[in-house]
Amino acid sequence: MRMYYRRVKVLYSEIVAAATQARADLAFTEDQQKEVGDLRLVCRNLAEIVQDVSQMRRNIERFTQSSNVHISEEYDRLRGGVARSLRQALKVRDSDDPALTLLLIKAMNEEREEADVLASGALDKLVRGSLITSEMATSLMNDSNYVRDIRRRLTIVAERLFADRDTDFDELAANELLDV
């Protein structure tokens, strides 16, 4: 957490201050105002991702090395989910196809919800089967929530930074549903 306060928070604060000052001092068009607002939102989400990872770090180190294979596998799944979201965000960045971008963002959202240990029932199975301790269960539940938030924020970052601003994703999604 010290790294966050020493490095990330200082940078984030400077970016917010500069963006706020620029919006006040410069005659931006409406599109430019939106872009600066999007960049501030991206910065906030990235700072919160760093905070969430910092909060989880100790449990990740502890439980991925645990002799309890069940908790170790669950923490590997959490890490894998974040890695998948990062890879998908990079695919959004590299995509020139608005339809593919839409599909990638939809996949990011769907996978995030499916991976939640509470919603999937995985936590209940582990606890009922006495496969993990109650302390492990609460840590897993909290860290699963951090991961869900990280993945949600990565989706927001991918949308705001990399998706084509001129694409009407609502119209594209409607056409996709109608197979137009």
Side-chain angles (χ1 to χ4, degrees), residues 66-179:
S66 174
S67 60
N68 182 318
V69 69
H70 303 287
I71 195 70
S72 181
E73 287 174 354
E74 289 300 321
Y75 271 86
D76 283 343
R77 273 196 251 307
L78 293 179
R79 292 187 316 166
V82 171
R84 271 189 304 286
S85 288
L86 281 168
R87 280 192 301 274
Q88 287 173 316
L90 292 174
K91 286 179 183 177
V92 169
R93 179 195 66 188
D94 296 339
S95 174
D96 293 329
D97 179 2
L100 177 60
T101 299
L102 175 66
L103 290 174
L104 289 167
I105 290 170
K106 281 175 58 177
M108 289 175 80
N109 285 320
E110 289 168 5
E111 287 180 19
R112 176 185 71 238
E113 295 308 317
E114 291 170 2
D116 188 322
V117 295
L118 281 176
S120 70
L123 185 70
D124 291 340
K125 290 176 188 171
L126 292 168
V127 172
R128 272 194 230 117
S130 299
L131 301 173
I132 63 173
T133 66
S134 59
E135 178 192 356
M136 290 174 179
T138 56
S139 294
L140 180 59
M141 185 172 57
N142 291 335
D143 291 338
S144 178
N145 191 51
Y146 282 128
V147 167
R148 191 186 70 226
D149 287 346
I150 290 167
R151 293 178 79 177
R152 179 181 53 80
R153 290 179 179 119
L154 283 171
T155 304
I156 291 168
V157 168
E159 285 177 304
R160 300 296 171 124
L161 278 183
F162 307 132
D164 184 0
R165 293 186 184 283
D166 297 328
T167 301
D168 183 348
F169 284 107
D170 292 333
E171 181 180 329
L172 189 60
N175 289 340
E176 194 77 17
L177 289 173
L178 298 173
D179 290 319

Side-chain angles (χ1 to χ4, degrees), residues 41-58:
L41 179 66
V42 165
C43 287
R44 182 181 76 201
N45 279 286
L46 290 173
E48 289 172 351
I49 287 169
V50 171
Q51 277 184 307
D52 289 347
V53 169
S54 294
Q55 292 291 332
M56 295 173 45
R57 185 184 197 120
R58 191 179 58 182

Side-chain angles (χ1 to χ4, degrees), residues 16-41:
V16 168
T20 302
Q21 193 63 43
R23 288 177 91 179
D25 293 347
L26 303 173
F28 283 145
T29 66
E30 190 175 319
D31 285 346
Q32 289 170 325
Q33 288 277 355
K34 182 175 177 1
E35 197 164 325
V36 170
D38 283 350
L39 290 174
R40 280 195 331 190
L41 179 66

